[in-house]
Amino acid sequence: MEPGNVTQHDIARHAGVSRALVSLALSDSPKVAQDTKKRILTAASELGYVRNISAASLVSQVAPIIGLILPDLANPYFEGLISAIQKDADEPSLLPLIATASNELNREEKIMQSFLELRVTGIISVSPATGTESLSRFGGRIPLVVIGQPDVGPHIDTVSLNEAQAAQLLAHHFAEQGWQRAVYIYDDQAQADRGLILRRHALHAACGEAGLSFSAISAGQSMQSAVSVAMESSPHSTVLIGHNDLIATQILSELRGAGYDVGQQVGVAGYDNTALSHEGNGGFTSISQPLDEISTRAISLVTTRAKRLYGPAQDVVVEPRLIVRSSTAKPL
């Protein structure tokens, strides 16, 4: 008998039990006695049984898959998030299916539609460019959790960083170290991300409260040009903030290439505290996000929403930590 052709009826005959009991045992139902469950699982293993997800989906109308939509895979923050989600998806027996959308509205919507047609258990979308109206349409048809943006719309649960607190941690640290001016540098692609717009506003407010001047510059097609504009526009002691560690790494490279003494003449900071920000890679101050908590809460929200699609949205806010490194901590 070919392993792929083994059915639950075959397992039932082999174990000497009913087909219904096999189904319950393979679903890890507490209704099946442990010794009986062990006998059934042994029979399944001996016969080389492989669960037919497609067939199971036809019965339940839901596939044990969770759709994960990312802007890209270039940012190591997403790599860390994927690892955390894969681990947390094991307990509810969900298989993450990953797709990237490059912050393109049409592509994001097509991916969501494809996941909907696959009848996945739910969707997790990270920093989507899709507007709230479109997200709400999908949220009314399938469990949808958005990471990185709060308060998206009805029936859509969210997990996001406390941006106000993160900005305050950075701004207060800058002021304590004697920096007088902060420049936030972002890329044009991020303009579609409402969460990053909130980040910019939070930094603006926090820097104002800490007595620092603040400006924002788009890197556009040239990080070199953005850094040059940032450094030429003011003689004051300046710290440059990348909207993530990937951008901060590029800023650091440009500054060092231009001969600046990073940590003395100019400061550099980023967000996410990925491996890019660690001292061995050049080192810069960064905001750390609790990836394990973000992942755990997102998976929990999906599975909870799958049991009851409609109901008020839950907005989970996670707390940041400031990891200070030599790029902003001036030596005494």
Side-chain angles (χ1 to χ4, degrees):
M1 182 182 297
E2 293 293 330
N5 295 328
V6 175
T7 68
Q8 292 187 8
H9 287 289
D10 297 324
I11 298 172
R13 283 195 296 270
H14 193 75
V17 298
S18 69
R19 156 67 177 76
L21 200 58
V22 169
S23 179
L24 289 172
L26 294 178
S27 300
D28 198 25
S29 171
K31 297 179 180 179
V32 184
Q34 287 301 315
D35 58 338
T36 303
K37 183 181 297 184
K38 182 177 180 180
R39 189 165 82 251
I40 290 171
L41 294 178
T42 299
S45 177
E46 290 174 350
L47 294 174
Y49 174 75
V50 177
R51 186 185 181 199
N52 188 329
I53 290 180
S54 298
S57 300
L58 289 175
V59 175
S60 67
Q61 296 296 304
V62 176
I65 295 171
I66 188 163
L68 177 59
I69 306 175
L70 303 171
D72 58 63
L73 293 176
N75 188 339
Y77 168 79
F78 299 135
E79 180 182 354
L81 184 61
I82 289 171
S83 296
I85 286 176
Q86 286 176 327
K87 180 185 69 175
D88 289 327
D90 282 345
E91 185 175 344
S93 298
L94 294 173
L95 174 67
L97 184 58
I98 301 163
T100 58
S102 301
N103 281 118
E104 296 176 9
L105 298 176
N106 291 340
R107 182 164 176 75
E108 279 187 358
E109 292 186 3
K110 286 180 180 178
I111 292 171
M112 286 190 191
Q113 182 62 35
S114 295
F115 282 149
L116 185 64
E117 292 169 2
L118 284 170
R119 293 186 170 85
V120 300
T121 298
I123 299 172
I124 296 175
S125 184
V126 184
S127 299
T130 303
T132 55
E133 182 177 342
S134 182
L135 287 172
S136 294
R137 287 201 305 272
F138 284 102
R141 302 175 67 187
I142 189 170
L144 173 60
V145 173
V146 169
I147 292 179
Q149 298 179 11
D151 191 24
V152 172
H155 319 307
I156 302 175
D157 301 319
T158 68
V159 183
S160 61
L161 184 71
N162 187 331
E163 293 288 355
Q165 184 177 351
Q168 289 165 6
L169 289 171
L170 284 170
H172 292 164
H173 165 66
F174 298 156
E176 288 173 356
Q177 294 297 311
W179 302 105
Q180 300 175 34
R181 177 173 175 261
V183 179
Y184 175 70
I185 298 181
Y186 57 93
D187 59 17
D188 287 332
Q189 191 177 58
Q191 280 299 295
D193 183 349
R194 192 170 62 93
L196 292 176
I197 295 173
L198 295 175
R199 177 167 297 174
R200 185 167 73 243
H201 290 168
L203 283 167
H204 191 180
C207 286
E209 291 173 3
L212 282 72
S213 66
F214 177 85
S215 59
I217 298 175
S218 169
Q221 300 300 313
S222 171
M223 181 59 68
Q224 182 180 26
S225 176
V227 170
S228 177
V229 170
M231 296 306 297
E232 291 175 357
S233 59
S234 173
H236 295 305
S237 179
T238 299
V239 58
L240 305 184
I241 310 166
H243 75 249
N244 58 37
D245 284 352
L246 192 60
I247 293 297
T249 300
Q250 297 169 9
I251 292 170
L252 190 67
S253 177
E254 293 295 339
L255 289 170
R256 287 180 170 158
Y260 286 99
D261 184 352
V262 176
Q264 277 285 24
Q265 294 175 295
V266 60
V268 176
Y271 275 75
D272 302 335
N273 192 39
T274 64
L276 293 175
S277 67
H278 298 175
E279 294 291 357
N281 294 317
F284 52 84
T285 293
S286 189
I287 288 291
S288 177
Q289 298 197 49
L291 286 180
D292 288 342
E293 181 183 357
I294 291 171
S295 168
T296 300
R297 299 300 293 271
I299 294 291
S300 176
L301 289 169
V302 166
T303 55
T304 300
R305 181 69 63 179
K307 299 173 184 176
R308 183 173 55 86
L309 182 59
Y310 298 104
Q314 296 187 58
D315 293 304
V316 175
V317 179
V318 299
E319 301 306 312
R321 286 192 305 123
L322 176 65
I323 308 300
V324 175
R325 298 189 175 93
S326 58
S327 67
T328 59
K330 293 184 177 181
L332 298 176

